[in-house]
């Protein structure tokens, strides 16, 4: 047995953070590696030590074997955890790690090689007596041969890159006429992604469900399975929501699949965490004779938390213990399923616009509290860049029943507040509540079938738009205690009933509004898209980011955050984003504006004013340090400081409001 005392994590993001948490719990020191783009990343902050390994591009950093081994040597690490993606399934990396005298926390290079190519893996599994998807996985690659095999198999078929992963190089073909074109495009994609254009052809299983088995082996020949996960909620062959156990799984099928997966792992002398993926024909319900091996992923899987929640185990702890030479902590008959768990992957992507990947700096990030697990690798202020996977977080719920877990997950997604980039959170919430999905009638085509309702565009309610306008133009102060009743103050004329023309960007279009203050905290807004008589907001109050208002006699609350370019409103489980047209920003910055705004990301060195203080146009108000330069921000006009929104030492993003002056109208 080898005592592991320091682990280097050759990864980033949520999985690096996840591994660090378990290592810390076990009293093991951690080393992060990072690229230049990740210098301030959460995983770097969490680890005990961190080593810069190269520029942003993964090929120059997280995939640079020598730089990683050098970092391990310099920090005295005794083991390397590869996470998932990157080098996790690269057997040459495993060889080099072991040649350097380090422990690789994962299976042997030999086991990874055995499962690395889908065709060879299928042949091996066939020999081991594991049911494989009917199809052709031989040597021949000529069009005539493959087209002939497709005919024999019977359409529809699936062409797969043998080196495939992440759904790349995969094409479903419905008839013979489409086969040649599909083959060339699958080959092109496979060549570009994996440098290998060899393919196999499989029967496309009808009403497919993706059900996979988590397996675990140790170096003493023991293998157990930790039950199944259902990952049938997919888009473009990629998982969207995963759960455990599989809905409506018959006990004999669970046993048969578990046994097949253990058999697969034993056939290659597997040690550590792995997943055997099966495709299931669910056209006639689930039955023990209708599952077939697709592939084995020889690493920890993104969706491992659902297995952890139903078994009560820490799979990373098991990985570390097994890598250190221990026997498996539990035997098969000591393992059982408790309740149901569901995981959703929150990505920076625009579901309503064809799932276009997005980037951006996270202006605001708040996850729900309570009985919910969130695995995230970013915090507010971090940037989602085009260099890496745009996953922001995984939200995982556990319940006694599937309905309870799904309800919790939907609720948690609705309470997740993310601003600064668009996310798929609303799409995920709808999927949780989709009638087919909720009732367990799922297969891999469910999302495509229901895509219209799952990605329907929601326009912001008028009152939310009105509120965003007030916020964007800094018209409502924080904690300003106006008298509750307008009549106790008198007619609104004392505020001069100012009318202001403003613009706000909605869905990429600049829209004009006029805003009129009818009383201390009552507003009327008119403009395009609003009711003819205008939209009225009453009793508008705010305390920091928490707003309250009344519309048509109903009091409502919401949360609102903004920077110089964006206003995000979180209301009743949905996020509405508005763009501040450069006009609104210029308005604030120009003489006469209400706010002092940071011009670039930086640190507040000194706040020179306090609330209630009178200032003259041009008076210094805040000193910031940005890119090692000091800059002084001055008052945009004469006025009174209504609110100081930052304190010394605060890190602020570009375009953040630092100080608010009272507007003419506020000077009651
Ligand atoms: P899982 O079955 O665990 O969900 P995925 O196929 O989604 O696995 O991949 C897990 C992670 O690895 C994802 O973040 C994905 O972006 C990344 N990934 C998948 N394939 C590759 C690859 N060939 N090279 C690098 N990263 C990959
Ligand atoms: P990858 O390496 O990209 O994960 P897989 O072989 O695991 O490739 O397949 C990815 C997804 O494609 C599966 O989760 C499943 O939804 C679908 N799929 C794969 N093989 C079949 C098949 N024979 N019939 C129907 N769907 C399939
Ligand atoms: Mg797969």
């Amino acid at each position: 047995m080898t005592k592991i005392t320091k682990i280097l994590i050759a990864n980033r993001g949520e999985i690096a953070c996840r591994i660090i948490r378990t290592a810390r719990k076990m009293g093991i020191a951690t080393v992060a590696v990072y690229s230049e783009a990740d210098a301030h990343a959460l995983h770097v902050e969490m680890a005990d030590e961190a080593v810069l390994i190269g520029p942003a591009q993964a090929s120059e950093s997280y995939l640079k074997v020598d730089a990683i081994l050098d970092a391990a040597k310099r920090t005295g690490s005794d083991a390397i955890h590869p996470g998932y993606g990157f080098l996790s399934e690269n057997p040459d990396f495993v060889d080099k790690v072991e040649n350097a005298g380090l422990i690789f926390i994962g299976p042997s290079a030999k086991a990874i090689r055995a499962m690395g190519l889908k065709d060879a893996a299928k042949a091996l599994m066939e020999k081991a007596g594991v049911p494989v998807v009917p199809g052709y996985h031989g040597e021949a690659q000529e069009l005539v041969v493959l087209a002939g095999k497709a005919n024999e198999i019977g359409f529809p078929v699936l062409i797969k890159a043998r080196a495939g992963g992440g759904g790349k190089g995969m094409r479903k073909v419905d008839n013979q006429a489409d086969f040649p074109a599909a083959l060339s495009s699958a080959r092109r994609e496979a060549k570009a992604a994996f440098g290998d254009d060899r393919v196999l052809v499989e029967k496309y299983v009808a009403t497919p469900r993706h059900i996979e088995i988590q397996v675990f082996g140790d170096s003493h020949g023991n293998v157990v399975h930790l039950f199944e996960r259902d990952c049938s909620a997919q888009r473009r062959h990629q998982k969207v929501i995963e759960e455990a156990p599989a809905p409506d799984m018959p006990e004999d099928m669970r046993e048969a699949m578990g046994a097949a997966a253990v058999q697969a792992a034993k056939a290659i002398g597997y040690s550590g965490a792995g997943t055997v993926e099966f495709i299931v024909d669910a056209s006639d319900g689930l039955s023990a004779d209708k599952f077939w091996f697709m592939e084995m992923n020889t690493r920890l899987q993104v969706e491992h938390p659902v297995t952890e929640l139903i078994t009560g185990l820490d799979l990373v702890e098991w990985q570390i213990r097994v890598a250190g030479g221990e026997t498996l902590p539990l035997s098969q008959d000591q393992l059982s399923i408790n309740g149901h768990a569901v995981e959703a992957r929150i990505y920076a992507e625009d579901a309503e616009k064809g799932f276009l990947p997005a980037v951006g700096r996270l202006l605001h990030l708040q996850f729900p509290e309570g009985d919910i697990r969130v695995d995230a690798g970013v915090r507010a202020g971090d940037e989602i860049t085009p260099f890496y996977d745009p996953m922001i977080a995984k939200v995982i719920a556990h319940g006694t029943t599937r309905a309870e877990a799904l309800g919790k997950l939907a609720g948690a997604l609705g309470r997740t507040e993310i601003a600064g980039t668009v996310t798929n959170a609303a799409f995920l919430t709808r999927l949780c509540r989709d009638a087919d999905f909720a009732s367990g009638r799922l297969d891999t085509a469910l999302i495509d079938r229901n895509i219209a309702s799952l990605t329907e565009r929601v326009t912001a309610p008028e009152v939310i738009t009105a509120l965003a306008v007030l916020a964007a133009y800094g018209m409502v102060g924080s904690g300003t205690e106006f008298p509750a009743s307008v009549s106790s103050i008198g007619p609104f004329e004392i505020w001069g009933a100012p009318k202001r023309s403003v613009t706000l960007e909605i869905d990429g279009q600049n829209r004009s509004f006029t805003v009129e203050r009818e009383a201390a905290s009552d507003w009327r807004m008119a403009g395009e898209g609003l009711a003819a008589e205008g939209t009225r907001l009453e009793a508008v109050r705010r305390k920091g980011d928490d707003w309250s208002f009344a519309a048509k006699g109903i009091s409502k609350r919401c949360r609102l955050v903004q920077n110089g370019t964006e206003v995000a409103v979180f209301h009743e489980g949905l996020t509405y984003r508005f763009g501040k047209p450069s006009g609104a920003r210029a308005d604030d910055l120009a003489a006469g504006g209400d706010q002092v705004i940071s011009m670039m990301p930086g640190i507040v060195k000194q706040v020179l004013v306090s609330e209630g203080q009178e200032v003259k146009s041009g008076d210094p108000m805040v000193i910031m340090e940005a890119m090692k330069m000091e800059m002084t921000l001055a008052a945009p006009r004469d006025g009174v400081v209504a609110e100081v929104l930052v304190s010394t030492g605060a890190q602020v993003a570009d375009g953040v409001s630092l100080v608010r002056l009272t507007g003419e109208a506020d000077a009651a």
Side-chain angles (χ1 to χ4, degrees), residues 132-441:
V132 305
V133 189
Y136 175 75
H137 46 262
E139 280 292 307
Q141 290 292 310
E142 297 80 19
L143 170 63
V144 281
V145 180
L146 294 178
K149 295 289 179 191
N151 252 342
E152 277 169 36
I153 297 162
F155 288 95
V157 298
L158 199 60
I159 301 173
K160 279 187 189 179
R162 67 168 191 165
K168 289 203 190 84
M170 203 178 288
R171 293 289 181 280
K172 178 176 178 238
V173 194
D174 292 317
N175 53 61
Q176 202 175 1
D178 295 344
F179 192 85
L183 179 64
S184 342
S185 87
R187 275 197 175 133
R188 261 197 312 276
E189 195 171 294
K191 184 83 190 165
F194 317 109
D196 178 348
D197 68 356
R198 298 174 71 90
V199 300
L200 49 152
V201 184
E202 272 181 6
K203 173 82 195 151
Y204 186 83
V205 170
T207 322
R209 266 172 73 174
H210 173 121
I211 301 180
E212 59 186 34
I213 305 282
Q214 174 72 54
V215 294
F216 237 103
D218 63 22
S219 53
H220 310 280
N222 305 302
V223 180
V224 295
H225 71 83
L226 278 64
F227 314 104
E228 78 277 6
R229 291 184 289 255
D230 193 313
C231 313
S232 302
Q234 297 190 351
R235 210 183 64 80
R236 296 175 164 228
H237 309 300
Q238 294 274 51
K239 299 159 186 172
V240 175
I241 287 188
E242 305 103 338
E243 60 186 301
D248 301 321
M249 180 75 145
E251 196 48 52
D252 65 331
M253 183 174 183
R254 173 173 295 136
E255 266 174 39
M257 290 183 77
V262 167
Q263 204 174 335
K266 283 195 166 152
I268 54 170
Y270 201 79
S271 159
T275 296
V276 184
E277 295 189 333
F278 295 98
I279 195 84
V280 168
D281 177 347
S283 51
D284 216 3
L286 299 184
S287 71
D289 56 349
K290 286 195 183 144
F291 67 87
W292 298 276
F293 172 89
M294 280 194 297
E295 66 162 347
M296 180 167 185
N297 292 325
T298 50
R299 55 171 159 89
L300 193 66
Q301 208 104 336
V302 175
E303 58 273 21
H304 76 276
V306 293
T307 299
E308 297 189 318
L309 291 189
I310 61 155
T311 57
L313 301 171
D314 179 336
L315 298 198
V316 174
E317 181 189 335
W318 275 40
Q319 285 189 298
I320 295 170
R321 290 172 64 170
V322 161
E326 287 185 44
T327 51
L328 288 174
L330 296 174
S331 61
Q332 194 66 57
D333 54 12
Q334 291 173 306
L335 291 160
S336 60
I337 297 176
N338 168 28
H340 200 97
V342 198
E343 167 184 290
R345 303 182 183 194
I346 301 184
Y347 280 97
E349 64 184 11
D350 195 343
E352 295 171 5
K353 290 195 185 131
F355 294 87
L356 215 64
V359 292
R361 190 173 291 283
L362 299 171
L363 156 67
H364 175 81
L365 180 70
Q366 189 168 308
F367 294 110
E369 294 188 354
D371 183 20
I372 203 87
R373 172 169 167 181
V374 177
D375 284 15
V378 288
R379 46 200 174 345
D382 287 352
E383 197 169 354
I384 306 296
T385 69
F387 296 113
Y388 315 111
D389 194 286
M391 190 163 79
I392 296 173
K394 306 185 297 199
V395 180
I396 315 114
H398 182 260
T400 320
T401 60
R402 181 172 190 264
E404 187 188 325
L406 271 181
K408 273 191 194 173
L409 181 63
L413 289 167
R415 282 179 283 126
T416 298
E417 299 176 353
I418 303 174
T421 184
V422 61
T423 77
N424 63 346
F427 161 73
L428 294 170
T429 311
R430 287 179 189 173
L431 182 53
C432 291
R433 298 195 167 127
D434 176 275
D436 288 335
F437 187 67
S439 64
R441 287 192 301 271

Side-chain angles (χ1 to χ4, degrees), residues 470 476 480 482-486 495 517-524 536-541 548-550:
L470 295 184
V476 179
T480 323
F482 288 110
S485 151
V486 174
W495 293 283
R517 188 173 208 166
E518 295 193 328
S521 52
D522 297 350
W523 304 79
R524 179 187 297 278
R536 286 199 80 229
L537 286 182
E538 290 159 21
V540 179
R541 292 203 166 69
S548 65
F549 61 98

Side-chain angles (χ1 to χ4, degrees), residues 15-29:
I15 193 62
C17 299
R18 160 79 191 84
I19 294 161
I20 292 171
R21 275 195 293 275
T22 288
R24 180 146 304 151
K25 180 183 84 181
M26 296 172 72
I28 298 172

Side-chain angles (χ1 to χ4, degrees), residues 505-527:
E505 194 187 296
I506 302 176
D507 293 334
Q509 304 271 312
N510 272 353
R511 298 242 312 259
S512 304
F513 302 95
T514 54
V515 187
E516 194 174 345
R517 188 173 208 166
E518 295 193 328
S521 52
D522 297 350
W523 304 79
R524 179 187 297 278
M525 206 131 343

